[in-house]
């Protein structure tokens, strides 16, 4: 298959968003200096994922909060998700500055919702967000979807360390297909990669936007590339 070049928007955005990462995380973001690194996807050139990118316009803004442990995982999907969505940003950290996070969530008068199951947190404020029952909000106010990119254990820790996230309405996926992830195992069929979970959430929030299905095309390309690269020999169980 002919290698596809990513849209310039994806490249420019990925580079620009380095400014979104806290200064303390810049060092963590650098993979071994001896290996040539792609300046766009930030992966070693021999594992570059730029050819997998499908640049897709959508009305929903996506804020990806990535645990530092996920930063170097070659099988992760958050960077590809970010490169596919011009309306996205990626922050790396465990405990975010509360004032900075509050300022970001207050921008543009959007409805902030957290993509996270309702039943995994015993404490904190949890309000389910249902776009079908909340027609006034979903139709008149743009949405900012917050996605946590981490293992389940790490995501629970991030929620505990960031009370502001606990206070957000939750959007829990229901009745979605089994994961297409071939390069990373999950404990249950309903456990999805960050890209898949975000894709299905966006498809439900913007049901008329058929272009969003191309996120899964990008994800399938990532799987195939990693399998050809030999990552199937390095399959790691999700925590």
């Amino acid at each position: 298959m002919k290698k596809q070049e990513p849209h310039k928007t994806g490249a420019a955005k990925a580079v620009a968003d380095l400014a979104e990462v806290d200064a303390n995380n810049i060092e963590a973001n650098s993979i071994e200096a001896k290996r040539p690194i792609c300046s766009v996807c930030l992966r070693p050139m021999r594992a570059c994922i730029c050819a997998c990118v499908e640049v897709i316009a959508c009305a929903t803004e996506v804020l990806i909060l990535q645990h530092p442990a996920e930063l170097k995982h070659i099988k992760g999907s958050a960077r590809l998700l970010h490169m596919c969505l011009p309306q996205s940003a990626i922050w790396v950290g465990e405990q975010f500055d509360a004032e900075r996070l509050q300022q970001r969530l207050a921008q543009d008068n959007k409805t902030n919702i957290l993509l996270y199951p309702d039943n995994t947190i015993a404490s904190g404020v949890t309000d389910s967000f249902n776009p079908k029952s909340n027609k006034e909000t979903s139709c008149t106010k743009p949405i900012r979807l917050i996605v946590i990119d981490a293992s389940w254990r790490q995501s629970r820790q991030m929620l505990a360390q960031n009370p502001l996230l606990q206070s957000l309405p939750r959007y829990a996926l229901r009745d979605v297909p089994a994961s297409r992830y071939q390069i990373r195992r999950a404990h249950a069929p309903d456990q999805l990669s960050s890209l898949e979970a975000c894709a299905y959430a966006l498809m439900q929030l913007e049901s008329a936007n058929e272009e969003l299905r191309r996120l899964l095309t990008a994800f399938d390309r990532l799987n195939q590339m990693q399998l050809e690269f030999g990552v199937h020999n390095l399959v790691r169980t999700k925590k």
Side-chain angles (χ1 to χ4, degrees):
M1 181 177 68
K2 185 178 179 181
K3 182 176 180 180
Q4 300 186 19
E5 295 296 330
H7 193 282
K8 290 183 179 180
T9 301
K13 181 172 64 63
V15 173
D17 270 341
L18 286 176
E20 295 280 4
V21 181
D22 294 336
N24 292 334
N25 292 314
I26 294 297
E27 183 177 354
N29 199 29
S30 60
I31 312 173
E32 298 176 18
K34 294 182 179 179
R35 293 186 291 174
I37 303 298
C38 174
S39 62
V40 178
C41 69
L42 309 180
R43 295 199 179 199
M45 290 299 297
R46 64 195 298 258
C48 173
I49 61 172
C50 291
C52 301
V53 173
E54 291 273 346
V55 179
I56 301 162
C58 66
T60 303
E61 178 188 340
V62 175
L63 176 59
I64 306 164
L65 302 180
Q66 185 179 56
H67 191 281
E70 289 294 314
L71 198 58
K72 293 185 181 181
H73 284 318
I74 195 171
K75 292 170 281 188
S77 63
R79 174 58 57 175
L80 178 60
L81 172 64
H82 172 48
M83 293 173 68
C84 288
L85 298 176
Q87 285 280 83
S88 73
I90 184 166
W91 289 11
V92 181
E94 293 181 63
Q95 185 171 9
F96 299 94
D97 180 81
E99 183 177 355
R100 181 181 178 227
L101 183 58
Q102 177 63 61
Q103 289 176 348
R104 182 57 183 252
L105 297 182
Q107 286 181 2
D108 304 319
N109 192 33
K110 294 184 176 182
T111 296
N112 296 295
I113 57 174
L114 178 67
L115 180 59
Y116 208 85
D118 283 343
N119 59 357
T120 55
I121 299 297
S123 61
V125 178
T126 302
D127 296 316
S128 296
F129 180 88
N130 187 330
K132 293 182 179 180
S133 62
N134 198 349
K135 292 182 179 179
E136 182 179 352
T137 300
S138 61
C139 291
T140 63
K141 209 172 179 182
I143 292 172
R144 179 182 293 110
L145 183 67
I146 294 87
V147 179
I148 297 179
D149 179 54
S151 70
W152 284 114
R153 177 179 59 82
Q154 292 164 348
S155 70
R156 290 191 290 268
Q157 293 173 346
M158 289 173 69
L159 281 178
Q161 294 172 343
N162 297 275
L164 183 55
L165 296 180
Q166 293 187 40
S167 69
L168 297 176
R170 304 264 174 90
Y171 189 82
L173 292 172
R174 299 283 189 273
D175 302 321
V176 295
S179 176
R180 304 156 82 104
Y181 230 157
Q182 302 178 55
I183 57 177
R184 200 171 183 180
R185 292 195 197 99
H187 290 304
D190 60 348
Q191 290 185 356
L192 306 173
S193 68
S194 296
L195 187 150
E196 290 174 294
C198 184
Y200 289 127
L202 291 175
M203 282 189 265
Q204 292 175 10
L205 292 169
E206 300 183 30
S207 57
N209 188 350
E210 297 183 358
E211 290 294 296
L212 289 166
R213 299 198 64 83
R214 291 199 289 123
L215 282 170
L216 299 178
T217 301
F219 186 67
D220 288 342
R221 284 201 196 114
L222 175 67
N223 272 277
Q224 185 59 38
M225 187 198 77
Q226 299 286 37
L227 288 172
E228 293 174 357
F229 187 67
V231 178
H232 58 289
N233 294 320
L234 303 173
V235 171
R236 181 175 71 88
T237 300
K238 280 186 180 179
K239 298 177 182 179

